Amino acid sequence: MFKLSKEHSIYSMSPNNEPVLYVPPNAQIEFETCDCFENQIKSSNDSFGGLDWSRINPATGPVYINGAEPGDILSVRIDKIEVAESGVMVAGKEMGPLGHLMDAHTIKIIPIKNNTAIFSDKIRLPLNKMIGVIGVAPKDSDIACGVPDYHGGNMDCKEITEGAVLHLPVNVPGGLLALGDLHAVMADGEICICGVEVAGKVTVSIDIIKNTPLPSPMLFTNSHIMTIASHEDLDEAVNIALLHMANYLKDKYGLPMDEAVMLMSLAAQVRICQVVDPKKTIRVEFPKDLLSYSQQT
Ligand code: CA
Ligand code: ZN
């Protein structure tokens, strides 16, 4: 297994980033990651104003996958997510849709024990460990790690978790995979701008699917096929994810478009990943068991 330490990090996904690791097409890689504040926050008394905002959302990488060429899909199976013993949250003024309700900033340290996050003496939450930032280099421009787009990035999708397989479009030779911004707990929406932000380690297994263009990321879980799309406008993100799913069902399973659309209206869940990043992220979830039925009949 290949290993990459957290010192190898980037703040934007770019075709010009120098790879820090070259791996064969079927590699397994362990990424060590900082939290989204690059581990700057050590206690709830730390000064919010003292944070260096140029060091937000680091992603560990980028990794050059030998044989990955533009027009291929980079398939990334999330084998394992390990998180540190405590995470951090911030809330406050101008942060997210409820930011106007607060006139200062608060930092909260959240201990993690026995697969639960200890929010307070009385409130504990089960972990839903996930990867906030994961992506490849865009085709011809830099995109900050805090921004989600067709290349992946800061999608903050809680389904990007252990066991899921993420498909990303390869835009430059080698793909240049990077990831970070783990969350120990997060709900759809991520409304205060963060989840339980936490450092950790992620193990992934890579595969390349040759010559299969992909307009935006897809995710495959045990139960669902998902299309993921990001846009400044939430409605537009919904439209992109829906169109991608409709075309996928038509092309992959041979459903006539009108049937695909009707079936999606019955069975495809349109869900919000997050509404707080520079672009908002939507996912459309289609249940796999319906597709095995369509194929048999
Ligand atoms: Ca994030
Ligand atoms: Zn985060």
Side-chain angles (χ1 to χ4, degrees), residues 122-278:
K122 299 207 169 89
I123 301 175
R124 293 176 179 228
L125 299 98
L127 300 192
N128 63 326
K129 297 176 287 181
M130 51 161 280
I131 304 172
V133 171
I134 179 167
V136 290
K139 191 175 169 48
D140 45 21
S141 59
D142 296 11
I143 299 180
C145 289
V147 180
D149 209 322
Y150 69 95
H151 71 302
N154 192 14
M155 296 180 281
D156 286 319
C157 171
K158 72 179 190 186
E159 297 299 331
I160 302 180
T161 186
E162 284 176 351
V165 177
L166 179 66
H167 283 186
L168 297 165
V170 177
N171 307 299
V172 301
L176 302 183
L177 176 69
L179 63 85
D181 183 29
L182 305 184
H183 300 166
V185 185
M186 193 195 90
D188 282 341
E190 202 190 13
I191 62 134
C192 91
I193 68 101
C194 61
V196 175
E197 304 295 326
V198 68
K201 282 181 190 167
V202 177
T203 306
V204 303
S205 294
I206 301 295
D207 206 357
I208 297 172
I209 302 168
K210 295 303 289 179
N211 300 317
T212 313
L214 190 67
S216 56
M218 290 189 75
L219 191 68
F220 299 82
T221 68
N222 279 341
S223 55
H224 288 82
I225 294 169
M226 304 182 192
T227 51
I228 300 175
S230 302
H231 197 278
E232 288 88 352
D233 182 62
L234 200 59
D235 288 1
E236 203 47 47
V238 171
N239 292 342
I240 298 167
L242 285 173
L243 176 66
H244 188 181
M245 182 62 81
N247 282 327
Y248 183 84
L249 294 177
K250 175 175 149 287
D251 295 345
K252 184 94 180 175
Y253 294 93
L255 292 179
M257 191 50 98
D258 53 350
E259 295 233 345
V261 171
M262 281 191 266
L263 198 51
M264 283 169 62
S265 194
L266 301 178
Q269 310 293 333
V270 178
R271 300 209 194 270
I272 286 172
C273 296
Q274 57 76 23
V275 293
V276 292
D277 294 333

Side-chain angles (χ1 to χ4, degrees), residues 11-211:
Y11 300 99
S12 62
M13 309 236 173
S14 164
N16 303 316
N17 283 336
E18 277 301 314
V20 291
L21 180 67
Y22 289 77
V23 301
N26 297 314
Q28 191 179 41
I29 314 162
E30 180 192 87
F31 293 79
E32 185 187 29
T33 62
C34 292
D35 69 30
C36 73
F37 304 107
E38 207 172 77
N39 302 351
Q40 290 180 75
I41 300 175
K42 304 288 181 208
S43 110
S44 55
N45 299 320
D46 283 3
S47 139
F48 184 82
L51 283 178
D52 179 352
W53 288 90
S54 69
R55 291 170 55 202
I56 299 300
N57 274 320
T60 304
V63 176
Y64 188 107
I65 291 97
N66 293 331
E69 294 293 335
D72 296 345
I73 288 173
L74 187 66
S75 169
V76 184
R77 183 157 55 93
I78 318 300
D79 296 323
K80 195 171 173 192
I81 300 177
E82 296 163 82
V83 296
E85 288 175 354
S86 82
V88 60
M89 292 191 79
V90 299
K93 215 171 151 179
E94 284 158 26
M95 288 182 151
L98 300 179
H100 62 288
L101 300 179
M102 296 161 281
D103 42 34
H105 294 103
T106 315
I107 291 175
K108 191 174 176 70
I109 301 289
I110 303 196
I112 296 168
K113 246 185 222 157
N114 303 327
N115 269 322
T116 56
I118 304 173
F119 186 80
S120 68
D121 291 348
K122 299 207 169 89
I123 301 175
R124 293 176 179 228
L125 299 98
L127 300 192
N128 63 326
K129 297 176 287 181
M130 51 161 280
I131 304 172
V133 171
I134 179 167
V136 290
K139 191 175 169 48
D140 45 21
S141 59
D142 296 11
I143 299 180
C145 289
V147 180
D149 209 322
Y150 69 95
H151 71 302
N154 192 14
M155 296 180 281
D156 286 319
C157 171
K158 72 179 190 186
E159 297 299 331
I160 302 180
T161 186
E162 284 176 351
V165 177
L166 179 66
H167 283 186
L168 297 165
V170 177
N171 307 299
V172 301
L176 302 183
L177 176 69
L179 63 85
D181 183 29
L182 305 184
H183 300 166
V185 185
M186 193 195 90
D188 282 341
E190 202 190 13
I191 62 134
C192 91
I193 68 101
C194 61
V196 175
E197 304 295 326
V198 68
K201 282 181 190 167
V202 177
T203 306
V204 303
S205 294
I206 301 295
D207 206 357
I208 297 172
I209 302 168
K210 295 303 289 179
N211 300 317

